[in-house]
Short mmCIF file of all heavy atoms in Angstrom, two decimals:
data_model
loop_
_atom_site.label_atom_id
_atom_site.label_comp_id
_atom_site.label_asym_id
_atom_site.label_seq_id
_atom_site.Cartn_x
_atom_site.Cartn_y
_atom_site.Cartn_z
N THR Y 240 0.84 -1.19 0.00
CA THR Y 240 0.00 0.00 0.00
C THR Y 240 0.88 1.25 0.00
O THR Y 240 0.62 2.21 -0.73
CB THR Y 240 -0.94 0.00 1.22
OG1 THR Y 240 -1.80 -1.13 1.14
CG2 THR Y 240 -1.78 1.27 1.27
N GLU Y 241 1.93 1.24 0.80
CA GLU Y 241 2.83 2.39 0.85
C GLU Y 241 3.59 2.55 -0.47
O GLU Y 241 3.80 3.68 -0.93
CB GLU Y 241 3.80 2.26 2.02
CG GLU Y 241 4.52 3.55 2.28
CD GLU Y 241 5.29 3.57 3.59
OE1 GLU Y 241 5.19 2.62 4.38
OE2 GLU Y 241 6.02 4.56 3.80
N ILE Y 242 3.98 1.44 -1.09
CA ILE Y 242 4.63 1.50 -2.39
C ILE Y 242 3.70 2.17 -3.40
O ILE Y 242 4.11 3.04 -4.16
CB ILE Y 242 5.05 0.10 -2.88
CG1 ILE Y 242 6.25 -0.40 -2.06
CG2 ILE Y 242 5.38 0.10 -4.37
CD1 ILE Y 242 6.61 -1.86 -2.31
N SER Y 243 2.44 1.78 -3.36
CA SER Y 243 1.45 2.39 -4.27
C SER Y 243 1.30 3.88 -4.01
O SER Y 243 1.20 4.68 -4.95
CB SER Y 243 0.09 1.70 -4.10
OG SER Y 243 0.15 0.38 -4.53
N THR Y 244 1.29 4.26 -2.75
CA THR Y 244 1.15 5.67 -2.38
C THR Y 244 2.34 6.48 -2.88
O THR Y 244 2.17 7.57 -3.46
CB THR Y 244 1.01 5.81 -0.85
OG1 THR Y 244 -0.14 5.08 -0.44
CG2 THR Y 244 0.87 7.26 -0.44
N VAL Y 245 3.55 5.98 -2.67
CA VAL Y 245 4.76 6.69 -3.11
C VAL Y 245 4.78 6.76 -4.63
O VAL Y 245 5.12 7.80 -5.21
CB VAL Y 245 6.03 6.00 -2.56
CG1 VAL Y 245 7.28 6.59 -3.17
CG2 VAL Y 245 6.09 6.10 -1.05
N THR Y 246 4.40 5.68 -5.29
CA THR Y 246 4.38 5.66 -6.75
C THR Y 246 3.37 6.66 -7.29
O THR Y 246 3.65 7.41 -8.23
CB THR Y 246 4.07 4.24 -7.26
OG1 THR Y 246 5.06 3.33 -6.75
CG2 THR Y 246 4.06 4.19 -8.78
N ARG Y 247 2.19 6.70 -6.69
CA ARG Y 247 1.16 7.66 -7.11
C ARG Y 247 1.63 9.10 -6.90
O ARG Y 247 1.41 9.97 -7.74
CB ARG Y 247 -0.14 7.42 -6.35
CG ARG Y 247 -1.22 6.79 -7.18
CD ARG Y 247 -2.57 6.79 -6.50
NE ARG Y 247 -2.52 6.56 -5.07
CZ ARG Y 247 -2.63 5.36 -4.49
NH1 ARG Y 247 -2.80 4.29 -5.20
NH2 ARG Y 247 -2.58 5.25 -3.18
N ASP Y 248 2.26 9.35 -5.76
CA ASP Y 248 2.78 10.69 -5.47
C ASP Y 248 3.79 11.09 -6.54
O ASP Y 248 3.76 12.22 -7.04
CB ASP Y 248 3.44 10.72 -4.09
CG ASP Y 248 4.09 12.04 -3.79
OD1 ASP Y 248 3.43 13.09 -3.91
OD2 ASP Y 248 5.29 12.04 -3.42
N THR Y 249 4.65 10.16 -6.91
CA THR Y 249 5.65 10.44 -7.94
C THR Y 249 4.99 10.70 -9.28
O THR Y 249 5.35 11.65 -9.98
CB THR Y 249 6.64 9.26 -8.05
OG1 THR Y 249 7.27 9.07 -6.78
CG2 THR Y 249 7.70 9.53 -9.10
N GLU Y 250 4.01 9.87 -9.64
CA GLU Y 250 3.31 10.05 -10.92
C GLU Y 250 2.59 11.39 -10.97
O GLU Y 250 2.62 12.08 -11.99
CB GLU Y 250 2.29 8.94 -11.12
CG GLU Y 250 2.90 7.59 -11.40
CD GLU Y 250 1.88 6.46 -11.39
OE1 GLU Y 250 0.73 6.67 -10.94
OE2 GLU Y 250 2.24 5.36 -11.82
N ASP Y 251 1.96 11.78 -9.87
CA ASP Y 251 1.17 13.01 -9.84
C ASP Y 251 2.02 14.27 -9.73
O ASP Y 251 1.72 15.29 -10.35
CB ASP Y 251 0.19 12.99 -8.66
CG ASP Y 251 -0.90 11.94 -8.83
OD1 ASP Y 251 -1.09 11.42 -9.96
OD2 ASP Y 251 -1.56 11.62 -7.81
N ASN Y 252 3.07 14.22 -8.91
CA ASN Y 252 3.83 15.42 -8.60
C ASN Y 252 5.19 15.53 -9.27
O ASN Y 252 5.76 16.61 -9.33
CB ASN Y 252 4.00 15.54 -7.08
CG ASN Y 252 2.66 15.65 -6.39
OD1 ASN Y 252 1.85 16.50 -6.72
ND2 ASN Y 252 2.40 14.77 -5.44
N TYR Y 253 5.73 14.40 -9.70
CA TYR Y 253 7.07 14.39 -10.31
C TYR Y 253 7.09 13.46 -11.52
O TYR Y 253 7.86 12.51 -11.58
CB TYR Y 253 8.12 13.93 -9.30
CG TYR Y 253 8.00 14.64 -7.97
CD1 TYR Y 253 7.37 14.02 -6.89
CD2 TYR Y 253 8.48 15.93 -7.81
CE1 TYR Y 253 7.22 14.68 -5.69
CE2 TYR Y 253 8.33 16.60 -6.61
CZ TYR Y 253 7.71 15.96 -5.55
OH TYR Y 253 7.56 16.61 -4.36
N PRO Y 254 6.22 13.70 -12.51
CA PRO Y 254 6.11 12.77 -13.64
C PRO Y 254 7.43 12.57 -14.38
O PRO Y 254 7.69 11.50 -14.91
CB PRO Y 254 5.05 13.40 -14.53
CG PRO Y 254 4.96 14.81 -14.11
CD PRO Y 254 5.37 14.86 -12.67
N GLU Y 255 8.27 13.60 -14.39
CA GLU Y 255 9.55 13.48 -15.08
C GLU Y 255 10.48 12.48 -14.40
O GLU Y 255 11.42 11.97 -15.01
CB GLU Y 255 10.23 14.86 -15.21
CG GLU Y 255 10.58 15.52 -13.91
CD GLU Y 255 9.42 16.25 -13.22
OE1 GLU Y 255 8.26 16.16 -13.65
OE2 GLU Y 255 9.69 16.93 -12.22
N LEU Y 256 10.22 12.17 -13.16
CA LEU Y 256 11.05 11.22 -12.40
C LEU Y 256 10.70 9.77 -12.71
O LEU Y 256 11.50 8.88 -12.48
CB LEU Y 256 10.89 11.50 -10.90
CG LEU Y 256 11.73 10.71 -9.93
CD1 LEU Y 256 13.21 10.90 -10.21
CD2 LEU Y 256 11.42 11.13 -8.51
N GLN Y 257 9.55 9.53 -13.27
CA GLN Y 257 9.10 8.17 -13.55
C GLN Y 257 10.08 7.38 -14.40
O GLN Y 257 10.22 6.18 -14.23
CB GLN Y 257 7.74 8.18 -14.23
CG GLN Y 257 6.62 8.44 -13.27
CD GLN Y 257 5.30 8.35 -13.99
OE1 GLN Y 257 4.90 9.31 -14.62
NE2 GLN Y 257 4.66 7.22 -13.91
N ASN Y 258 10.77 8.04 -15.30
CA ASN Y 258 11.75 7.36 -16.15
C ASN Y 258 12.85 6.70 -15.34
O ASN Y 258 13.49 5.76 -15.81
CB ASN Y 258 12.38 8.33 -17.14
CG ASN Y 258 11.37 8.87 -18.12
OD1 ASN Y 258 10.37 8.23 -18.41
ND2 ASN Y 258 11.63 10.06 -18.63
N TYR Y 259 13.09 7.19 -14.14
CA TYR Y 259 14.17 6.68 -13.32
C TYR Y 259 13.71 5.68 -12.26
O TYR Y 259 14.51 5.23 -11.45
CB TYR Y 259 14.89 7.85 -12.62
CG TYR Y 259 15.40 8.86 -13.62
CD1 TYR Y 259 14.72 10.05 -13.81
CD2 TYR Y 259 16.52 8.59 -14.39
CE1 TYR Y 259 15.17 10.97 -14.75
CE2 TYR Y 259 16.97 9.51 -15.32
CZ TYR Y 259 16.29 10.69 -15.49
OH TYR Y 259 16.73 11.59 -16.41
N LEU Y 260 12.44 5.35 -12.27
CA LEU Y 260 11.90 4.45 -11.24
C LEU Y 260 11.72 3.02 -11.72
O LEU Y 260 11.01 2.25 -11.11
CB LEU Y 260 10.56 4.99 -10.72
CG LEU Y 260 10.62 6.33 -10.02
CD1 LEU Y 260 9.24 6.70 -9.50
CD2 LEU Y 260 11.63 6.31 -8.89
N ASP Y 261 12.37 2.66 -12.80
CA ASP Y 261 12.28 1.29 -13.27
C ASP Y 261 12.75 0.34 -12.18
O ASP Y 261 13.65 0.68 -11.40
CB ASP Y 261 13.15 1.08 -14.51
CG ASP Y 261 12.62 1.82 -15.71
OD1 ASP Y 261 11.40 2.06 -15.76
OD2 ASP Y 261 13.43 2.14 -16.59
N GLU Y 262 12.16 -0.81 -12.16
CA GLU Y 262 12.59 -1.79 -11.18
C GLU Y 262 14.04 -2.16 -11.46
O GLU Y 262 14.44 -2.34 -12.60
CB GLU Y 262 11.72 -3.04 -11.25
CG GLU Y 262 10.33 -2.81 -10.75
CD GLU Y 262 9.52 -4.08 -10.74
OE1 GLU Y 262 9.79 -4.97 -11.53
OE2 GLU Y 262 8.60 -4.14 -9.92
N THR Y 263 14.79 -2.26 -10.40
CA THR Y 263 16.17 -2.67 -10.54
C THR Y 263 16.28 -4.16 -10.29
O THR Y 263 15.35 -4.79 -9.80
CB THR Y 263 17.06 -1.93 -9.50
OG1 THR Y 263 16.64 -2.32 -8.20
CG2 THR Y 263 16.95 -0.42 -9.66
N LYS Y 264 17.41 -4.70 -10.62
CA LYS Y 264 17.62 -6.13 -10.44
C LYS Y 264 17.39 -6.53 -8.98
O LYS Y 264 16.93 -7.62 -8.70
CB LYS Y 264 19.03 -6.49 -10.89
CG LYS Y 264 19.22 -7.91 -11.25
CD LYS Y 264 20.56 -8.10 -11.92
CE LYS Y 264 20.68 -9.51 -12.38
NZ LYS Y 264 20.71 -9.74 -13.77
N SER Y 265 17.69 -5.65 -8.06
CA SER Y 265 17.53 -5.98 -6.65
C SER Y 265 16.06 -6.09 -6.23
O SER Y 265 15.75 -6.68 -5.20
CB SER Y 265 18.22 -4.93 -5.78
OG SER Y 265 17.58 -3.68 -5.92
N THR Y 266 15.15 -5.55 -7.02
CA THR Y 266 13.74 -5.63 -6.65
C THR Y 266 13.03 -6.78 -7.35
O THR Y 266 11.89 -7.08 -7.02
CB THR Y 266 12.99 -4.33 -7.00
OG1 THR Y 266 13.02 -4.15 -8.41
CG2 THR Y 266 13.58 -3.15 -6.29
N LEU Y 267 13.69 -7.39 -8.30
CA LEU Y 267 13.07 -8.49 -9.01
C LEU Y 267 13.30 -9.79 -8.25
O LEU Y 267 14.37 -10.01 -7.68
CB LEU Y 267 13.65 -8.60 -10.43
CG LEU Y 267 13.42 -7.38 -11.31
CD1 LEU Y 267 14.15 -7.55 -12.63
CD2 LEU Y 267 11.94 -7.18 -11.55
N PRO Y 268 12.32 -10.66 -8.23
CA PRO Y 268 12.48 -11.92 -7.50
C PRO Y 268 13.53 -12.80 -8.17
O PRO Y 268 13.69 -12.78 -9.38
CB PRO Y 268 11.10 -12.56 -7.58
CG PRO Y 268 10.43 -11.92 -8.74
CD PRO Y 268 11.03 -10.55 -8.87
N SER Y 269 14.23 -13.57 -7.35
CA SER Y 269 15.22 -14.47 -7.91
C SER Y 269 14.58 -15.83 -8.14
O SER Y 269 13.51 -16.12 -7.64
CB SER Y 269 16.41 -14.60 -6.95
OG SER Y 269 15.96 -15.06 -5.70
N GLY Y 270 15.25 -16.64 -8.90
CA GLY Y 270 14.72 -17.97 -9.17
C GLY Y 270 14.01 -18.01 -10.51
O GLY Y 270 13.95 -17.03 -11.24
N SER Y 271 13.46 -19.16 -10.82
CA SER Y 271 12.75 -19.32 -12.09
C SER Y 271 11.41 -18.59 -12.02
O SER Y 271 10.93 -18.26 -10.94
CB SER Y 271 12.52 -20.79 -12.39
OG SER Y 271 11.56 -21.32 -11.50
#
């Protein structure tokens, strides 16, 4: 829920920052 809130805040107030919020390898699950 907090991730959604921060993401929405970024989309609404800092749309130019969205290009830099791609998921990084550290946020992707490991394994198959």
Side-chain angles (χ1 to χ4, degrees):
T240 299
E241 193 168 354
I242 287 171
S243 294
T244 301
V245 172
T246 302
R247 253 191 323 268
D248 175 52
T249 301
E250 289 171 348
D251 293 344
N252 299 307
Y253 312 100
E255 62 279 8
L256 185 58
Q257 283 183 278
N258 295 333
Y259 303 103
L260 297 183
D261 291 334
E262 290 184 333
T263 63
K264 202 169 185 113
S265 66
T266 63
L267 298 175
S269 58
S271 71

